[in-house]
Amino acid sequence: MKSHRVCDVLPSMQREEKTNVFKKMVVAGLLVAGLCAVAPGASAQQKAVDAEGHPWWQHAVFYEIYPRSFADSNNDGIGDLNGITSKLDYLTDLGVDAIWVTPCFPSPQVDFGYDVSDYEAIDPMYGTMKDFDSLVAEGKKRNVRVILDFVVNHTSDKHKWFQDSRSSKTSEHRDWFIWRDGKGPGQPPNNWLSTFGLSAWKLDPKTNQYYYHYFYPEQPDLNWRNPAVEKAMLDVTRFWYKRDVSGFRLDAVDTLFEDLKLTDNPVLPGTDKFGRPNMEEKYDKKLPEVHDVMRKLRGAADEYGSVLIGETWTANVSELKDYYGANNDELQLPMDLMMTGFRGLHADEYRKHIGAVNGAGHWPVYVISNHDIMRSYTRYADGAHNDDIAKMMAALYLTLRGTAIMYYGEEIGMENNDPKSKDEVQDPIGKLGWPLEKGRDGERTPMQWTDGQNDGFSRAKPWLPVPPSAKTHNVASEMKDQNSILSFYRQLLALRHKEPALLEGDYLALNENDSNVLGYVRRYKDEAFLILLNMSGTEQQARLDLSSIGFPMPKVRVMLTSFHKPLPPANGFVPMEPYSAFIAKITK
Ligand code: GLC
Ligand code: CA
């Protein structure tokens, strides 16, 4: 059972100093700081549906764990399930409600688990099925749910289905994958490219046909047009639901179907990072048939009250909207990964996007980081305010209306640690595309638990090197520092779990002409939360006029800021430090 005390959510300053600083804050104009009250309470997601009719996953904070890199219990340099279990108290304390564990199934590890050779077992590297059951059970005790990663687009070439498929043209599983004749000697069936480097077709000498792989050649695409594939895959989900898994993150759903006629993709000017011609992925991606499969997977999920999160790389809000299903019968949580593509911090750009997502009418799912993209800390860093920016971005996506998915280590400000030379690279795309494409090792480094040997991740040499920043950015040190990124996250998440306005409130944009400070309100009944985020490197005065949203004479109670200095007197404006966050509760 989770309970968070309001006292924990006052501004990120030394706890002993809080009272002093609050005394120092001059209460003037509209700005009135409140005192803390103790209100323990269970978080809403304990029940299947809350008073407002929201299912648990709408208010849950999800946390992505890359199992190789989270915690190593048997000291072989690779993280494992028991390692995760040993850290559940840390996660509960942080305010995490569900963990998404990236693939931990048997795999040759060509794509570090995203090449699955058995969907219904645990890779011995990560532990046993008993360890998995224990993770789920221990999670349950703490009200932390477990979400698995379901690689729906392809299997490993070592999966028994593919082994049989490639054995002969008439094998039982031949049509479970996509086999075609070449266009001529040495010529693949068409011009489609693998997103991981070369042609998307590989000639298999045994039967002299090509098989299709959107990712590595060791990841043959399943043929979802075959009803037997569909049935087998739906059965996999039920296998895990029966083991108390609360849902799946569906991997690479955009690429489930390909054009039956194998039409060549249009070639565009220029070349990509692998030196290949640019192409519009018109016939190998986002085909409408994907939605039929989403509906069927959803049907199975609904039998067990489970949630489906989608890895949905959409180009715009309209594409994202489609993944919820015309009748809300597809993915409950298609990830909005669009913010990860924004370059620089521009309040206008964020305001426009958030407005459009809210306008679309679905429950948003914001993500700023994951195991495939440069860590958010590194992406946003300006060299001078890195930690401040990390806090501000946390305040952004953890106070918006919708579900948030965190990436491990983000809460301590972990940064990318890219390989320094080609021979250090582990991720095959880094080897193939070096130096333009360094691969994804940099964002997958071991979780930084302490400033000690191997940052407390393992007693053995970790599979990827620990970034130098582990000395300053690690759980143990940041726990002790009230001004750390971790302390900020903890306070923020505590607030998020406790305050109905942050959970249920409408999103209303504020100060829409301000290009530096992103301002909005989450309004719920007679109260609201006001969030101001200075996205610029200079101090800004943010206007504080809430009359337009129905609070002409509001009482404003500061709940959390990332400010370094005490709030000076204010009069209708909030002085915002560079890259800072200000969160207040307003009542009528
Ligand atoms: C998804 C995963 C990525 C993986 C790819 C192929 O994009 O997030 O890590 O390499 O699918 O399975
Ligand atoms: Ca291990």
Side-chain angles (χ1 to χ4, degrees):
M1 152 140 356
K2 224 167 278 153
S3 70
H4 299 290
R5 297 192 310 126
V6 182
C7 274
D8 292 336
V9 300
L10 283 173
S12 62
M13 40 190 73
Q14 298 296 340
R15 199 159 295 203
E16 318 80 72
E17 278 176 28
K18 265 178 196 158
T19 339
N20 278 339
V21 176
F22 269 78
K23 272 186 204 144
K24 274 188 242 157
M25 285 170 61
V26 182
V27 179
L30 289 171
L31 198 59
V32 183
L35 286 173
C36 92
V38 180
S43 48
Q45 69 281 355
Q46 276 175 271
K47 302 174 207 108
V49 175
D50 71 6
E52 307 280 328
H54 290 290
W56 65 271
W57 43 264
Q58 286 193 305
H59 291 161
V61 171
F62 290 76
Y63 184 97
E64 177 188 355
I65 293 179
Y66 200 68
R68 291 181 77 87
S69 299
F70 197 59
D72 179 15
S73 73
N74 64 348
N75 295 302
D76 61 357
I78 295 171
D80 42 58
L81 295 181
N82 287 338
I84 300 175
T85 308
S86 74
K87 301 295 183 185
L88 282 173
D89 286 335
Y90 164 75
L91 294 171
T92 321
D93 195 45
L94 176 61
V96 167
D97 305 296
I99 52 173
W100 145 31
V101 183
T102 67
C104 52
F105 317 105
S107 161
Q109 302 285 323
V110 171
D111 194 13
F112 297 108
Y114 282 96
D115 45 328
V116 179
S117 53
D118 181 353
Y119 286 103
E120 297 182 352
I122 297 294
D123 194 304
M125 175 193 299
Y126 295 128
T128 61
M129 195 56 101
K130 203 165 149 263
D131 297 334
F132 177 78
D133 289 341
S134 141
L135 169 64
V136 173
E138 289 301 315
K140 212 171 199 174
K141 280 187 202 158
R142 296 164 177 81
N143 209 27
V144 174
R145 299 179 189 246
V146 177
I147 306 294
L148 286 179
D149 205 315
F150 191 26
V151 186
V152 280
N153 178 71
H154 48 268
T155 67
S156 155
D157 62 345
K158 298 293 178 300
H159 194 292
K160 62 181 183 206
W161 299 340
F162 188 73
Q163 293 288 308
D164 179 57
S165 185
R166 80 181 342 171
S167 66
S168 88
K169 283 189 177 173
T170 54
S171 73
E172 185 195 337
H173 294 90
R174 183 66 171 181
D175 194 36
W176 283 44
F177 296 85
I178 298 161
W179 293 96
R180 292 289 186 282
D181 291 329
K183 267 189 181 160
Q187 281 181 47
N190 67 11
N191 74 351
W192 295 352
L193 296 173
S194 154
T195 195
F196 285 164
L198 303 165
S199 164
W201 296 97
K202 184 165 171 156
L203 182 66
D204 204 36
K206 178 99 207 259
T207 55
N208 206 28
Q209 277 198 316
Y210 287 82
Y211 67 86
Y212 177 69
H213 59 90
Y214 183 81
F215 297 94
Y216 293 120
E218 294 84 353
Q219 294 170 302
D221 274 48
L222 281 160
N223 175 17
W224 273 89
R225 297 185 198 273
N226 182 341
V229 167
E230 185 184 289
K231 182 179 177 309
M233 292 297 267
L234 285 170
D235 285 350
V236 169
T237 67
R238 294 197 180 92
F239 172 89
W240 291 107
Y241 293 141
K242 286 182 192 142
R243 293 198 100 91
D244 266 353
V245 161
S246 295
F248 289 97
R249 175 262 191 187
L250 302 178
D251 183 64
V253 294
D254 298 333
T255 51
L256 277 194
F257 286 87
E258 302 75 31
D259 176 43
L260 262 179
K261 289 194 233 128
L262 303 188
T263 314
D264 273 348
N265 275 330
V267 178
L268 305 171
T271 50
D272 68 9
K273 59 190 172 189
F274 299 108
R276 312 170 304 181
N278 283 326
M279 273 188 204
E280 184 196 345
E281 294 186 298
K282 189 168 173 185
Y283 295 104
D284 57 349
K285 238 182 162 173
K286 296 181 184 164
L287 266 65
E289 291 90 328
V290 168
H291 297 285
D292 301 331
V293 172
M294 295 302 106
R295 271 191 294 279
K296 287 179 182 151
L297 287 166
R298 174 66 181 275
D302 283 348
E303 292 166 24
Y304 297 86
S306 293
V307 69
L308 295 180
I309 304 173
E311 189 205 8
T312 40
W313 287 98
T314 59
N316 51 53
V317 175
S318 155
E319 271 185 21
L320 183 65
K321 202 171 147 85
D322 289 346
Y323 273 119
Y324 290 89
N327 299 307
N328 275 326
D329 50 2
E330 297 185 29
L331 303 175
Q332 293 107 318
L333 299 176
M335 289 186 213
D336 176 351
L337 291 156
M338 289 178 274
M339 292 201 301
T340 67
F342 294 180
R343 288 295 163 257
L345 290 164
H346 305 289
D348 294 326
E349 187 177 19
Y350 281 89
R351 185 180 293 121
K352 188 165 166 234
H353 179 69
I354 296 159
V357 171
N358 273 284
H362 289 284
W363 188 259
V365 189
Y366 294 104
V367 182
I368 61 168
S369 221
N370 70 27
H371 64 284
D372 293 326
I373 51 178
M374 185 190 282
R375 280 191 175 271
S376 53
Y377 186 94
T378 309
R379 240 176 31 239
Y380 303 123
D382 73 340
H385 306 91
N386 299 359
D387 286 9
D388 292 327
I389 297 175
K391 291 176 191 170
M392 188 206 58
M393 288 309 289
L396 168 69
Y397 89 106
L398 293 169
T399 62
L400 286 173
R401 177 179 159 273
T403 295
I405 306 180
M406 300 172 57
Y407 183 46
Y408 83 93
E410 182 185 288
E411 73 276 21
I412 51 172
M414 270 175 68
E415 58 184 90
N416 256 65
N417 189 33
D418 291 331
K420 307 289 174 289
S421 65
K422 190 174 169 182
D423 47 290
E424 279 178 27
V425 178
Q426 302 251 12
D427 185 12
I429 53 167
K431 293 200 173 93
L432 207 63
W434 190 269
L436 284 183
E437 168 63 73
K438 294 195 164 96
R440 298 161 292 179
D441 297 349
E443 53 263 28
R444 298 173 173 178
T445 56
M447 175 70 177
Q448 296 162 192
W449 295 104
T450 68
D451 63 1
Q453 195 203 6
N454 301 327
D455 72 10
F457 162 77
S458 174
R459 286 206 292 278
K461 185 173 177 242
W463 77 286
L464 282 175
V466 168
S469 73
K471 286 279 165 260
T472 49
H473 291 70
N474 62 74
V475 172
S477 313
E478 292 193 43
M479 277 287 196
K480 288 186 230 136
D481 174 5
Q482 284 294 307
N483 294 312
S484 66
I485 299 176
L486 180 59
S487 294
F488 189 78
Y489 265 88
R490 282 157 52 92
Q491 295 170 85
L492 187 58
L493 289 170
L495 255 190
R496 187 188 159 98
H497 281 101
K498 219 206 127 281
E499 294 291 342
L502 286 179
L503 295 172
E504 317 272 3
D506 303 333
Y507 165 87
L508 297 163
L510 210 66
N511 301 344
E512 295 195 67
N513 296 325
D514 192 329
S515 295
N516 295 306
V517 179
L518 180 69
Y520 51 90
V521 154
R522 300 285 315 282
R523 188 178 59 189
Y524 178 73
K525 298 187 177 159
D526 279 345
E527 62 177 41
F529 259 71
L530 163 68
I531 294 103
L532 297 171
L533 306 166
N534 184 359
M535 294 196 151
S536 82
T538 51
E539 188 162 321
Q540 302 290 332
Q541 299 292 322
R543 205 159 141 249
L544 194 64
D545 177 1
L546 306 174
S547 50
S548 64
I549 54 141
F551 291 81
M553 291 291 291
K555 290 193 206 73
V556 179
R557 178 174 154 192
V558 183
M559 302 302 280
L560 179 63
T561 79
S562 61
F563 297 160
H564 296 271
K565 295 172 284 184
L567 270 176
N571 199 356
F573 287 89
V574 181
M576 299 287 299
E577 294 179 11
Y579 299 113
S580 63
F582 172 92
I583 301 174
K585 188 172 187 167
I586 52 181
T587 43
K588 285 192 173 161

